[in-house]
Amino acid sequence: MNTESQNPDISVSTPAAEPPDAGAGPQPPASPASPASEEAAAAGAVELPFQAEVQQVLALVINSLYANQEVFLRELISNASDALDKARFLALTREDAAEQAGEPGITITLDDAARTLTIEDNGVGMTRDEVVQNLGTIARSGSLEFLKANAEAAKQKKEGGKLQLIGQFGVGFYAAFMVASRVDVHTRSMLPGAEPVLWRSSGSGSFTVAPGDRAHPGTKIVLHLKEDAREYTKAWRVKEIIRKYSDFVHFPIKVNDEVANRSAALWTLPKPQITEEQHAEFFRHVTGGYEGEKPLLTVHLSIDAPVQFHALLYVPEKASADMFHKDRRAIRLYAKRVLIVEECDKLTPMYLRFLRGVVDSEDLSLNVSREMLQENRTLSQIEQQIVKQVLKSLKDLSESDPERYATFWGEFGRVLKEGITLDWKNKDAIAELCRFESMNTEAGKVISLRAYVEKMPEEQKEIYYVTGIGRHAVEQSPHLEAFRKRGYDVLFLVDPVDEWVVKALNEFDKRRLKSVTHGDVDLGGEPEKKDQAEGSVDAAVSAVKAALGDRVKDVRVSRRLTDSASCLVADEGDPGANLERIMKLIDQNAQESKRILELNPGHPVVKNLNILAGREPDSERVKQWSELLLDQALLVEGVVQEPAKLVRRIQDLLAQVSSAAVGTQP
């Protein structure tokens, strides 16, 4: 087993001159009768002190470096895997290297009575000097030293290929002291003339190096477990940890002679070699799904530049219950087939949080713990490649299988649309993937922006849309009347996120997105001649403006109404009614913007009001009708500000109409 020490780039801040307990938190308890001291008295044994920083690092490892105690086993398995890779490499580059005994592999033996866990490999092993250097100091890395020493040999031997070294970073070996009161390392190097060595320590102030009795190259580590770590003598518990972290290490891992890992990492295989059944099985493995579940879409990546990584990503058929928890991520990050982070939020943007699967990279830079990824360029480059390939795969799906894409959109469209507001670099690509209902589509059917543009009449210059709380609400909007009469389609944007989507998108295919409820609209020449010119209802406009005062921003003649008497529109740049409704749900104290009341000059009510306002502009009836025109516009939007007053105004109007009908005085 190749037991690793700390990356040379990482330094411990505690000065060597400080006492062991300075600035590093609680220290591992020293044994009254140190096994290291006992070994020092034995023939040929030498007791050596740990490097000055070791005590501080051991304290960090035991108390705060790892979030889960169980990762000690992942670290030791990773080191064993490195040692086996090194053995293969050494056998190819040095003819005088000792042969491995048996097939490469890792064996874990558990003894509940003795309270020990033993992990053994038949890898490269260590010489006495390597044992002292790699296990007695912190600021070294055995894997890095090995790479430097054999760089030239690797160039001369094509068969050797690249080394797959998991443990070249970190202080993984020292994680053993989280669960062990004593650690024994029996090792023998493959180098010619190497003698077996025994290393032993209780993790206190020193360690012992003595002649060993190992007959073949490799390393065996015996962990004498603490009382509270007895669970790690149970085969089911150890297998559980292996399946979680080391399931895809490419050497067999046996627990009490039973292979516990699957070895074959599906994501490293060529695409044509993987069957749909294998994809379905692996999808259920990474999602915890049930028998019969399968992915809606598979994205299999093998990227060599600018960063090397493999990825096997899936889009599920159904959205999970936590889909709108924006911190949720479900991509597992591996480094050379070893699980590093179970839910990594650095690999995909928030708007792709529906993805499931794995990413495995050999180019990751890690901090002292594999659980703490550095914020570096590598992760950013991986994310960029994943986004690019996933968006491309979704576009291909939308073109090759529109029905399946419609299924995807129904489950995850609301999440994907967030990308337009979050990812300026890819917002155009995301916009191509967006789907919306529209005035000219059946309920439940959707249309792309591209299809909308292709169906636009030649004289139509802008993409029109309306936002609201649902199709039923928006398709009854009076704002659509002129568009419907002209045959212009209007997109129905009925998801809350759509309010932010249209603000971020602005235009598509060089055509501006225009809200039918904002500002003035210019639909070109009128579809049919109006009965009256706009200027003929000036008296009504003036009277309504005077009656409503500062309750509205303005009153004007409408060019969007053909059937309704009035409607409310937001001024350009102001939030619309739907956005204000959403903001009120978020913050009840959110301010409301005043809006513009538009009057339909061809409607009988407005015409009659214009006549009445010309005769008696300040009468109560003019004020009452003005209030009703505002109430009607609010009712269409589902807003009733003062229900009691509205009812009284309607009752008064009915009384007037009914009296006129029967010829009596109201």
Side-chain angles (χ1 to χ4, degrees):
M1 175 174 293
N2 174 42
T3 46
E4 299 303 336
S5 299
Q6 189 178 10
N7 187 332
D9 295 334
I10 300 169
S11 61
V12 179
S13 59
T14 307
E18 290 189 6
D21 61 346
Q27 303 299 311
S31 172
S34 170
S37 299
E38 296 174 7
E39 281 296 326
V46 178
E47 182 177 3
L48 300 171
F50 277 118
Q51 186 191 45
E53 288 86 356
V54 167
Q55 287 301 296
Q56 282 73 29
V57 172
L58 281 173
L60 286 172
V61 169
I62 294 170
N63 295 297
S64 61
L65 186 61
Y66 294 99
N68 297 315
Q69 188 187 62
E70 64 188 21
V71 299
F72 83 91
L73 188 58
R74 178 192 70 183
E75 299 297 322
L76 296 181
I77 290 174
S78 298
N79 289 338
S81 177
D82 287 349
L84 291 165
D85 271 325
K86 288 181 179 181
R88 177 181 61 84
F89 184 79
L90 197 64
L92 291 168
T93 56
R94 290 196 59 160
E95 296 180 357
D96 57 351
E99 293 186 2
Q100 285 181 281
E103 292 296 319
I106 302 168
T107 301
I108 298 175
T109 306
L110 309 173
D111 190 330
D112 185 61
R115 210 164 72 219
T116 59
L117 181 153
T118 301
I119 177 168
E120 184 174 6
D121 66 73
N122 56 344
V124 69
M126 290 181 285
T127 65
R128 185 186 186 283
D129 287 344
E130 289 172 334
V131 165
V132 174
Q133 291 173 349
N134 294 339
L135 305 187
T137 62
I138 293 297
R140 294 187 61 82
S141 173
S143 294
L144 280 179
E145 292 296 315
F146 185 86
L147 281 174
K148 293 175 182 177
N150 293 278
E152 291 300 320
K155 293 179 181 178
Q156 298 171 7
K157 291 282 185 177
K158 293 183 180 179
E159 302 92 340
K162 291 185 178 180
L163 281 174
Q164 307 297 314
L165 300 179
I166 297 168
Q168 59 181 295
F169 307 100
V171 289
F173 170 72
Y174 297 99
F177 288 103
M178 290 193 295
V179 297
S181 58
R182 190 181 97 197
V183 177
D184 299 341
V185 179
H186 304 264
T187 186
R188 184 169 189 159
S189 174
M190 289 177 63
L191 292 174
E195 298 291 333
V197 182
L198 167 65
W199 181 97
R200 174 175 291 169
S201 178
S202 61
S204 54
S206 62
F207 60 91
T208 294
V209 179
D213 56 5
R214 186 174 178 84
H216 303 287
T219 301
K220 178 174 73 174
I221 297 181
V222 182
L223 275 61
H224 299 267
L225 299 170
K226 300 174 184 177
E227 178 60 39
D228 61 0
R230 197 170 204 125
E231 64 181 289
Y232 302 114
T233 65
K234 311 300 182 187
W236 68 267
R237 180 71 173 104
V238 171
K239 290 177 183 177
E240 179 183 63
I241 298 171
I242 292 171
R243 283 192 294 269
K244 180 177 181 180
Y245 295 105
S246 308
D247 206 19
F248 302 103
V249 168
H250 54 282
F251 298 104
I253 305 171
K254 295 182 179 180
V255 178
N256 292 344
D257 296 325
E258 181 182 346
V259 176
N261 65 319
R262 68 180 66 199
S263 293
L266 207 62
W267 57 86
T268 64
L269 301 178
K271 295 179 185 180
Q273 293 184 14
I274 308 175
T275 65
E276 289 188 11
E277 291 75 16
Q278 288 175 306
H279 276 304
E281 180 186 358
F282 188 68
F283 170 74
R284 292 191 293 270
H285 173 76
V286 297
T287 62
Y290 298 102
E291 188 67 29
E293 286 187 317
K294 58 183 180 180
L296 178 69
L297 177 66
T298 298
V299 181
H300 189 178
L301 307 177
S302 292
I303 305 295
D304 291 324
V307 60
Q308 187 180 52
F309 72 95
H310 300 282
L312 190 50
L313 306 173
Y314 299 106
V315 176
E317 289 184 324
K318 295 288 184 181
S320 61
D322 59 356
M323 183 55 57
F324 292 97
H325 294 176
K326 295 190 176 183
D327 292 333
R328 180 76 166 94
R329 299 291 196 284
I331 305 297
R332 298 182 180 182
L333 177 61
Y334 286 75
K336 304 170 184 70
R337 304 188 184 195
V338 174
L339 180 64
I340 304 303
V341 180
E342 193 160 14
E343 295 182 2
C344 187
D345 62 356
K346 302 291 192 299
L347 296 171
T348 53
M350 190 164 60
Y351 64 89
L352 294 182
R353 60 184 177 273
F354 51 81
L355 291 173
R356 302 290 184 266
V358 302
V359 172
D360 187 355
S361 176
E362 299 180 5
D363 294 339
L364 288 175
S365 296
L366 306 181
N367 209 324
V368 290
S369 166
R370 289 188 177 94
E371 294 174 331
M372 297 187 295
L373 292 174
Q374 293 177 343
E375 296 286 348
N376 64 14
R377 188 179 178 186
T378 300
L379 286 176
S380 176
Q381 290 174 324
I382 291 175
E383 181 187 38
Q384 291 173 22
Q385 289 294 322
I386 287 176
V387 170
K388 176 182 176 182
Q389 296 298 327
V390 169
L391 294 181
K392 180 181 182 300
S393 296
L394 289 172
K395 189 173 189 301
D396 292 343
L397 178 65
S398 70
E399 295 172 350
S400 63
D401 196 337
E403 289 189 9
R404 283 180 66 209
Y405 186 78
T407 300
F408 160 80
W409 185 258
E411 294 293 325
F412 306 108
R414 284 181 293 173
V415 174
L416 182 62
K417 279 189 289 189
E418 295 173 10
I420 292 178
T421 70
L422 300 172
D423 188 349
W424 289 91
K425 182 178 179 180
N426 293 295
K427 72 173 184 176
D428 290 336
I430 300 170
E432 289 277 4
L433 297 171
C434 287
R435 301 291 186 268
F436 305 97
E437 290 193 50
S438 77
M439 188 166 62
N440 292 347
T441 62
E442 298 178 20
K445 302 295 184 180
V446 292
I447 188 173
S448 68
L449 291 171
R450 179 66 57 194
Y452 177 97
V453 169
E454 291 173 353
K455 293 179 180 180
M456 285 172 53
E458 186 177 350
E459 67 273 13
Q460 183 181 343
K461 305 303 180 185
E462 297 175 314
I463 298 172
Y464 296 110
Y465 69 88
V466 60
T467 61
I469 58 175
R471 182 185 181 100
H472 181 72
V474 297
E475 68 184 351
Q476 304 299 324
S477 171
H479 300 85
L480 303 178
E481 292 172 356
F483 299 90
R484 187 175 282 117
K485 184 159 289 190
R486 273 208 170 274
Y488 291 178
D489 200 3
V490 178
L491 298 174
F492 292 167
L493 277 58
V494 294
D495 289 332
V497 70
D498 289 338
E499 290 284 358
W500 286 270
V501 167
V502 292
K503 289 183 182 299
L505 190 57
N506 295 321
E507 66 174 36
F508 177 82
D509 195 28
K510 298 182 180 180
R511 291 169 171 83
R512 187 168 75 105
L513 271 69
K514 168 70 175 174
S515 169
V516 302
T517 65
H518 277 69
D520 200 2
V521 293
D522 183 6
L523 301 181
E526 296 296 332
E528 58 186 48
K529 189 175 181 180
K530 290 187 178 291
D531 293 335
Q532 286 187 271
E534 292 184 359
S536 64
V537 293
D538 284 349
V541 171
S542 298
V544 174
K545 189 178 298 187
L548 299 180
D550 61 1
R551 292 164 59 191
V552 294
K553 193 170 188 177
D554 194 10
V555 180
R556 68 188 182 200
V557 170
S558 179
R559 290 193 288 181
R560 74 188 84 212
L561 296 175
T562 61
D563 301 314
S564 300
S566 62
C567 70
L568 283 165
V569 300
D571 205 356
E572 290 288 357
D574 288 349
N578 188 57
L579 179 56
E580 286 190 348
R581 184 184 297 111
I582 295 171
M583 298 308 296
K584 277 285 187 182
L585 292 174
I586 299 172
D587 179 6
Q588 293 184 352
N589 297 318
Q591 292 185 344
E592 296 182 5
S593 300
K594 294 177 183 178
R595 285 183 289 157
I596 300 167
L597 181 67
E598 289 192 349
L599 305 180
N600 179 0
H603 196 278
V605 171
V606 177
K607 290 180 180 180
N608 292 334
L609 176 60
N610 189 67
I611 296 171
L612 184 63
R615 293 201 306 255
E616 44 184 276
D618 299 324
S619 69
E620 284 301 315
R621 284 196 299 177
V622 168
K623 293 179 181 178
Q624 184 185 49
W625 287 18
S626 299
E627 294 283 354
L628 283 170
L629 287 170
L630 176 60
D631 289 337
Q632 171 190 293
L634 289 169
L635 275 172
V636 171
E637 295 181 349
V639 178
V640 180
Q641 293 178 333
E642 297 178 289
K645 288 185 178 181
L646 172 60
V647 170
R648 284 198 297 271
R649 280 192 285 269
I650 294 175
Q651 289 175 342
D652 291 344
L653 181 62
L654 287 173
Q656 295 171 26
V657 172
S658 60
S659 297
V662 298
T664 62
Q665 188 71 23

